[in-house]
Amino acid sequence: MMLLTINSYQDLYTHLTPIRHSKKTLGFVPTMGNLHAGHLQLVKQAKTETDFVVVSIFINPLQFGQNEDFSSYPRTLVRDQELLNTIGCDVLYCPTVVEMYPEDQALHTKVSVPDVIGGLCGLSRPTHFEGVATVVTKLLNMVAPAAVYFGKKDYQQWIVVRKLVRDLSLPINVRGVDTVREKSGLAMSSRNGYLTEVERVQASKLYAILQDVAKHLQETPHQVETCLREGYSKLVDAGFKPDYLEVRESETLAPAHLNSSSWVVLGAVYLGATRLIDNVEIPLKR
Ligand code: AMP
C-alpha cells in the first residue's frame, strides 16, 4: 500500500471512518516532521501493536516561544513522505495552520496540565507545554486512535500527555518509546541539524554526563545535591551552558523521594544557539 497524504480534517475523517468500522485498531504518531530514526522507531512500534498507522506532521506555532525557531524549523516533506512510505505507514496527516487554528490562536481554548508543565523545560519555555497539550488534544480528537506513541527523549512532554489523557478520560493508550541515539550517544533530534560538526561531537557529552550523574545517584541516593552539583560542573567543563539539571520521580516528575522505585535525571543545555535536552531513567533497588 502506498502512503496516503491528507491535508484536511474532513478528508481524514472520511478516510478513517471505514477503517474504524472494520474494527482495525489505529496507532498514531504525532511529529513535527524532518523525520529521523527516532521518529521511525515510534512508527515501527505502532506498526507492531496496531493495525493501521497514522503519522501527523504539524509544526505547531502554539508551542514555540516568540524568540524560538518556528520559522526556521526544518521542513522536509518530500523526504519524510519517502521514509514513511518505505516503512509502511498508512496515512500521513499534514493539516495546515488554518485547518488547526481557524480563528485567532490567542482566543482559543487551551489545555493546561498545571501539575507538570511549570518546572524543567517549562521554566525557560513558559508557553510551550500548553501549546503541546492543546495541539495533542486536538490531534487525538481528530485521529481518535487506540494508541498514541511518544518518545521518552522528550520526557516531560510524554508525562504531560499521559496526564492529560488520564485527566480528560480519553480512551487512548499512551505508549512511551526509548530514545534512539547516534553511535556517539547523542539523542537523535531534528534540532541536531543546527549543530556544526565540532558541536555535534561536543553534544554527545550531554548523555555521557547524565549517565554519570545517574550512576552516582544510584550508588548514593542520599547525596542528590552533591551528585547534581558535580554533574552541573561537568556540563560547564564540557562547554555547555546548562539550563537545568534535575532529578525527579520518573512516573510523575514530582520531586524525587528516597522511598520511590524509580527516578529520572533530566538535563537541558545550550550549545551555542542550540538547546539540547536528554534524560536517563534510574531504577532504584529497594
Ligand atoms: P518532534 O518531531 O520533535 O515533535 O518529535 C515527534 C515525536 O518523536 C515525539 O514523541 C518525540 O519524543 C519523538 N522523538 C524525537 N526524537 C526521538 C528520539 N531520538 N528517540 C525516540 N523518540 C524521539
Side-chain angles (χ1 to χ4, degrees):
M1 273 276 283
M2 283 286 286
L3 173 75
L4 177 69
T5 302
I6 292 177
N7 298 109
S8 75
Y9 178 36
Q10 177 78 57
D11 287 351
L12 183 76
Y13 187 84
T14 306
H15 193 80
L16 294 186
T17 300
I19 310 277
R20 258 190 274 281
H21 286 164
S22 71
K23 300 266 185 286
K24 283 187 175 162
T25 54
L26 277 178
F28 177 41
V29 181
T31 81
M32 297 204 298
N34 191 233
L35 303 180
H36 51 65
H39 298 110
L40 299 183
Q41 187 59 35
L42 272 57
V43 180
K44 282 182 199 158
Q45 188 165 331
K47 276 184 68 73
T48 63
E49 296 179 354
T50 61
D51 304 321
F52 190 93
V53 176
V54 179
V55 171
S56 67
I57 294 181
F58 180 63
I59 304 177
N60 173 33
L62 219 57
Q63 71 190 65
F64 286 79
Q66 282 207 328
N67 299 317
E68 293 184 355
D69 54 348
F70 173 70
S71 53
S72 59
Y73 197 86
R75 289 158 168 88
T76 53
L77 181 62
V78 173
R79 192 175 161 275
D80 293 347
Q81 284 170 316
E82 284 166 9
L83 287 170
L84 292 173
N85 196 28
T86 307
I87 200 176
C89 166
D90 297 293
V91 162
L92 171 61
Y93 181 42
C94 297
T96 60
V97 172
V98 175
E99 181 80 25
M100 292 299 282
Y101 305 115
E103 297 103 28
D104 182 353
Q105 289 167 39
L107 303 177
H108 265 271
T109 302
K110 304 264 169 61
V111 178
S112 183
V113 191
D115 200 21
V116 273
I117 66 174
L120 304 168
C121 287
L123 276 183
S124 58
R125 308 185 75 191
T127 56
H128 173 66
F129 287 114
E130 200 174 72
V132 169
T134 302
V135 81
V136 167
T137 305
K138 286 171 72 81
L139 288 168
L140 290 177
N141 282 328
M142 288 171 157
V143 179
V148 66
Y149 295 80
F150 281 88
K152 290 195 196 176
K153 195 213 108 201
D154 302 283
Y155 200 94
Q156 190 173 11
Q157 170 173 279
W158 178 55
I159 298 295
V160 165
V161 174
R162 277 192 355 178
K163 182 117 180 39
L164 88 81
V165 163
R166 214 176 306 138
D167 288 354
L168 298 178
S169 308
L170 303 181
I172 298 168
N173 188 358
V174 183
R175 308 285 284 138
V177 179
D178 286 339
T179 302
V180 177
R181 301 177 179 281
E182 311 267 358
K183 274 207 186 83
S184 66
L186 175 65
M188 290 196 180
S189 163
S190 303
R191 289 192 168 100
N192 291 351
Y194 299 150
L195 300 169
T196 64
E197 277 310 305
V198 174
E199 284 175 335
R200 198 175 259 266
V201 175
Q202 224 180 326
S204 65
K205 293 183 184 159
L206 173 59
Y207 181 51
I209 293 169
L210 292 183
Q211 279 181 308
D212 279 352
V213 175
K215 186 163 171 278
H216 287 169
L217 282 166
Q218 207 167 24
E219 286 161 3
T220 57
H222 293 274
Q223 293 179 20
V224 169
E225 275 191 24
T226 313
C227 294
L228 292 179
R229 205 176 325 112
E230 281 175 16
Y232 199 94
S233 303
K234 284 185 191 167
L235 289 173
V236 173
D237 293 345
F240 296 117
K241 184 166 163 279
D243 181 8
Y244 64 78
L245 176 67
E246 291 202 38
V247 59
R248 298 286 185 98
E249 294 287 318
S250 62
E251 281 292 304
T252 59
L253 292 183
H257 280 294
L258 270 174
N259 58 2
S260 91
S261 63
S262 172
W263 289 349
V264 56
V265 57
L266 308 110
V269 297
Y270 290 94
L271 185 57
T274 309
R275 190 169 183 279
L276 304 168
I277 58 171
D278 206 341
N279 64 84
V280 174
E281 287 174 274
I282 315 171
L284 300 169
K285 296 180 212 93
R286 314 219 165 269

